[in-house]
């Protein structure tokens, strides 16, 4: 049977410390950063790549295991064609220039999203970057490109139906579905950050963020740096993650570590 190394948080309560294991970021505000400087929007996207570099480095240094960056949503194709074209050029340049450096730093690169819509060159660069870095044991950097949370759920269900029709029974079990989600190799995000001031999820990781702590900052993505990351992590460290339990239960559990009871789930044997 296909199993996921990271059970979903509604089945098992994940352990967590002061530093999030998995940080997921909606990198928003590039266009506004540029407009404030009377620059074309693409200038903001270019500066955004520098913020990506700084954030990857800072996460690796702080011991974050997984960093997931929303680079292009399944809805971003609705933008003016020239902006989409420039974003694709930037993606190509980033893959061409950064993959070797990521590899040298021991970073594993993953890309999630529907690839069929990208041209051959981008698809080849993605495949090569993933192949080259596959065995690296450092930070896992996931780029979400042409990604949508609804697409992810639908592709997972489609693959489950195709590859394990016997598991497509009523009631469907979480453990059957989750190995087919695009990020089944990672634990669910502990900390979500959205820059740029909007407080919405914009079709990012819908299933996976069921119990993620949500941090919103007005900082525009090109201005995001190690200090911004530290502020978000400090905020995260103050959260009480209950996963449905009461504060009293958590206090009890911290007095008697190791005695924590697993979360009962309807339908469990
Ligand atoms: C995020 O910045 C980058 C992408 C969506 C590719 P935006 O381009 O959305 O910047 P704003 O929101 O217009 O400022
Ligand atoms: C979300 O930003 C997607 C990415 C950052 C890649 P958008 O700027 O596209 O989101 P909306 O349209 O404001 O919700
Ligand atoms: Mg935006």
């Amino acid at each position: 049977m296909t199993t996921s190394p990271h059970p979903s948080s509604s089945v098992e309560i994940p352990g967590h410390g002061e530093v999030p294991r998995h940080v997921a970021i909606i990198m928003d505000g590039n266009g506004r950063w540029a407009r404030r400087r009377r620059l074309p929007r693409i200038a903001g996207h270019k500066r955004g790549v520098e913020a990506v570099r700084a954030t990857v480095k800072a996460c690796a240094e702080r011991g974050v295991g997984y960093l997931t960056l929303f680079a292009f949503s399944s809805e971003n194709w609705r933008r003016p064609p020239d902006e989409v074209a420039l974003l694709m050029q930037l993606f190509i340049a980033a893959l061409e220039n950064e993959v070797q450096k990521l590899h040298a730093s021991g970073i594993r690169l993953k890309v999630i999203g529907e690839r069929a819509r990208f041209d051959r060159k981008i698809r080849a660069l993605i495949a090569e970057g993933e192949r080259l870095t596959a065995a690296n044991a450092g930070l896992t950097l996931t780029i979400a490109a042409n990604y949508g949370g609804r697409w992810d759920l639908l592709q997972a269900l489609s693959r489950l139906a195709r590859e394990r029709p016997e598991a497509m029974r009523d009631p469907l079990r979480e453990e059957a579905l989750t190995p087919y989600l695009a990020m089944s190799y990672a634990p669910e995000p502990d900390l979500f950050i959205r820059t740029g001031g909007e407080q919405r999820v914009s079709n990012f990781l819908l299933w996976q963020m069921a119990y993620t702590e949500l941090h919103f900052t007005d900082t525009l993505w090109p201005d995001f740096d190690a200090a911004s990351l530290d502020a978000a992590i400090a905020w995260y460290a103050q959260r009480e993650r209950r996963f449905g339990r009461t504060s009293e239960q958590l206090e009890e559990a911290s007095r008697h570590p190791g005695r924590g009871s697993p979360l009962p789930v309807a339908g469990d044997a």
Side-chain angles (χ1 to χ4, degrees):
M1 188 186 145
T2 325
T3 50
S4 169
H6 302 288
S8 70
S9 53
S10 45
V11 173
E12 209 171 275
I13 300 166
H16 52 270
E18 301 238 312
V19 174
R21 253 202 315 173
H22 184 172
V23 177
I25 306 181
I26 295 188
M27 311 182 287
D28 198 20
N30 294 350
R32 280 163 286 166
W33 183 93
R35 209 168 54 212
R36 284 181 195 173
R37 288 163 178 77
R38 300 181 189 284
L39 294 169
R41 291 177 57 84
I42 193 68
H45 297 314
K46 284 186 180 155
R47 282 297 290 262
V49 176
E50 288 175 34
V52 168
R53 248 182 243 123
T55 304
V56 170
K57 182 167 178 279
C59 281
E61 286 169 357
R62 283 152 187 74
V64 171
Y66 300 82
L67 171 65
T68 301
L69 301 175
F70 206 4
F72 193 87
S73 77
S74 44
E75 287 72 47
N76 285 145
W77 299 103
R78 294 174 179 156
R79 293 192 176 197
D82 56 335
E83 179 168 346
V84 171
L86 286 167
L87 281 167
M88 292 304 139
Q89 281 181 23
L90 216 52
F91 192 24
I92 291 173
L95 286 164
E96 285 177 341
N97 300 329
E98 305 296 326
V99 166
Q100 287 296 341
K101 292 183 221 161
L102 294 174
H103 186 46
S105 308
I107 291 168
R108 174 168 73 140
L109 176 69
K110 294 276 207 178
V111 178
I112 55 168
E114 190 179 18
R115 296 195 193 177
R117 197 150 170 195
F118 291 123
D119 65 28
R120 275 238 310 264
K121 181 170 186 182
I122 294 184
R123 294 204 305 267
L125 284 167
I126 291 172
E128 173 55 19
E130 288 188 332
R131 190 202 57 75
L132 179 71
T133 62
N136 290 344
L139 174 77
T140 295
L141 169 65
T142 300
I143 304 296
N146 192 22
Y147 180 87
R150 290 182 179 177
W151 164 83
D152 196 358
L153 277 167
L154 292 174
Q155 70 77 28
L157 282 164
S158 304
R159 277 173 55 211
L160 175 62
R162 197 163 58 239
E163 294 174 23
R164 286 191 63 213
E166 75 283 3
M168 283 300 280
R169 56 186 170 78
D170 183 7
L172 196 56
R173 292 176 64 89
E174 287 193 16
E175 299 91 318
L177 180 68
T178 50
Y180 291 91
L181 291 169
M183 259 208 306
S184 58
Y185 53 85
E188 292 172 9
D190 301 294
L191 171 62
F192 161 89
I193 301 170
R194 182 171 185 146
T195 62
E198 306 296 350
Q199 303 199 356
R200 56 177 170 254
V201 169
S202 299
N203 198 15
F204 196 23
L205 302 159
L206 298 180
W207 174 284
Q208 298 87 339
M209 297 210 309
Y211 269 107
T212 302
E213 300 295 330
L214 309 178
H215 182 77
F216 297 94
T217 168
D218 289 336
T219 302
L220 302 174
W221 178 250
D223 293 326
F224 194 87
D225 59 12
S228 322
L229 178 74
D230 285 335
I233 291 178
W235 172 87
Y236 169 81
Q238 298 305 311
R239 300 298 98 203
E240 182 181 62
R241 303 191 74 193
R242 292 190 286 273
F243 296 95
R245 295 162 297 176
T246 65
S247 290
E248 291 74 17
Q249 285 176 296
L250 291 178
E251 281 157 26
E252 178 70 10
S254 69
R255 276 199 296 274
H256 307 287
R259 226 196 272 172
S261 59
L263 201 64
V265 171
D268 255 10

